[in-house]
Amino acid sequence: MSNNRRVAVIGLGSMGGAMASTLNRAGWDVTGFDPSEAAREAAAGTGISTTAEIGELAGTSYAVLSLPSAKIVEATVPVLLATPGTIAIIDTTTSEPGTSKSMADLAASSGAAFVDAPVSGGRDGAASGSLSAFVGASKDALTAAGPVLEALTGGQYAHIGGPGSGNVVKLLNNVLAAANLVSVGEALGVAKAYGIDPAVAATSISNASGGSKVSAAMYPTWVLSGTHDSGFSLGLMARDASLAIDVARQMGEEPELLAAAAGQWQHALAALGPSADFTEIARTVAPSITPAGAPKSSTDA
């Protein structure tokens, strides 16, 4: 197979593993890395080649990153660039704009491209190659990363602007979703207090100007049902909401409503723990509408 169809996937968790599988099905020669043996074994079970040594992937034509934090991105990119041959690194991590800018400069100095391309669409989108991506990159870097972005999103990616801008808009997207999860929960709690079925209220609102994906899908599917199995953790959403406020303040902005919502997520994090499903925010903002009810105390998380 042509070297230009070789891609390394760094991070084989829920999202990275699904993206690796999608690339493999699309005809790419995929090798995955994850420090977790269990994650490597799960990926291998879908037909992906894996390695326990990230250094073996240096110089691979393309690399996709799906990592827990900006700090790990900063530690990973120099390893991949240690050997010549990299065309583009596509970072799908919900990272920080300053990190993406410095990684883009580092890649350019090695003759490679780096794009920040945080994604939305969850496990299902990753598994079906129908993610949407918020892309921050120079025009040349965007062109270099194009083949991989196309495979992961089916063309559903938006070029937001230069390096780091994809991270900013992704964080704003997530803090808006976080705020909406709080406000819809509070509103449905009021409906319940009046003896109105929250599901009926959610459907009615979803057909009107106050409606959103949160009221139309997230609450009926995961909250009112009591399943809370979206696959996205409360810890990650709390982190993203907090990061969004940090990014705002770096520019001298003080978004009061979004900051208040981010504070509600920190409260839920303390009460429920990071591994709770993110839809369990409803248990702290509107426990009356959730089958599980309010968390007993922060020590029960």
Side-chain angles (χ1 to χ4, degrees), residues 174-175 177-178 181-182 219 222-223 228-243 261-286 290 293-295 301:
N174 282 21
V175 75
L181 278 148
V182 172
Y219 266 80
W222 294 314
V223 177
H228 296 298
D229 60 353
S230 73
F232 187 63
S233 74
L234 193 150
L236 288 178
M237 186 58 117
R239 176 206 68 179
D240 291 353
S242 180
L243 265 178
Q264 292 270 45
W265 282 84
Q266 291 303 313
H267 172 72
L269 181 63
L272 291 160
S275 62
D277 194 83
F278 86 110
T279 61
E280 290 187 69
I281 182 76
R283 295 181 60 199
T284 61
V285 300
T290 65

Side-chain angles (χ1 to χ4, degrees), residues 16-301:
M19 287 190 282
S21 181
T22 289
L23 289 164
N24 184 48
R25 287 197 313 274
W28 290 78
D29 178 8
V30 182
T31 305
F33 165 80
D34 196 287
S36 161
E37 184 178 356
R40 295 195 302 273
E41 287 178 354
T46 69
I48 308 300
S49 297
T50 65
T51 177
E53 297 295 334
I54 190 172
E56 293 179 4
L57 299 175
T60 304
S61 300
Y62 296 92
V64 173
L65 310 185
S66 181
L67 298 169
S69 70
K71 281 189 175 180
I72 300 177
V73 172
E74 290 173 353
T76 300
V77 171
V79 176
L80 296 174
L81 294 173
T83 301
T86 301
I87 297 170
I89 297 172
I90 298 89
D91 183 19
T92 69
T93 307
T94 299
S95 185
E96 299 175 33
T99 293
S100 292
K101 288 178 183 177
S102 62
M103 294 301 99
D105 288 343
L106 181 65
S109 71
S110 298
F114 177 97
V115 307
D116 47 289
V119 292
S120 182
R123 291 173 303 193
D124 293 344
S128 59
S130 59
L131 291 166
S132 57
F134 305 87
V135 183
S138 67
K139 286 185 178 179
D140 287 348
L142 181 69
T143 299
V148 172
L149 288 170
E150 186 72 31
L152 294 175
T153 70
Q156 298 303 304
Y157 59 89
H159 184 203
I160 305 296
S165 60
N167 298 138
V168 173
V169 176
K170 166 65 172 175
L171 288 170
L172 293 175
N173 173 81
N174 282 21
V175 75
L176 282 168
N180 198 209
L181 278 148
V182 172
S183 61
V184 170
E186 290 181 343
L188 296 183
V190 173
K192 178 74 178 290
Y194 271 89
I196 298 165
D197 183 344
V200 173
T203 299
S204 302
I205 290 167
S206 295
N207 290 325
S209 59
S212 63
K213 287 183 178 179
V214 171
S215 64
M218 292 185 187
Y219 266 80
T221 303
W222 294 314
V223 177
L224 302 180
S225 66
T227 56
H228 296 298
D229 60 353
S230 73
F232 187 63
S233 74
L234 193 150
L236 288 178
M237 186 58 117
R239 176 206 68 179
D240 291 353
S242 180
L243 265 178
I245 304 308
D246 289 346
V247 165
R249 288 173 175 158
Q250 286 166 18
M251 292 294 105
E253 295 292 318
E254 285 291 341
E256 293 182 15
L257 178 60
L258 296 179
Q264 292 270 45
W265 282 84
Q266 291 303 313
H267 172 72
L269 181 63
L272 291 160
S275 62
D277 194 83
F278 86 110
T279 61
E280 290 187 69
I281 182 76
R283 295 181 60 199
T284 61
V285 300
S288 68
I289 68 169
T290 65
K296 291 183 179 69
S297 76
S298 60
T299 59
D300 296 331

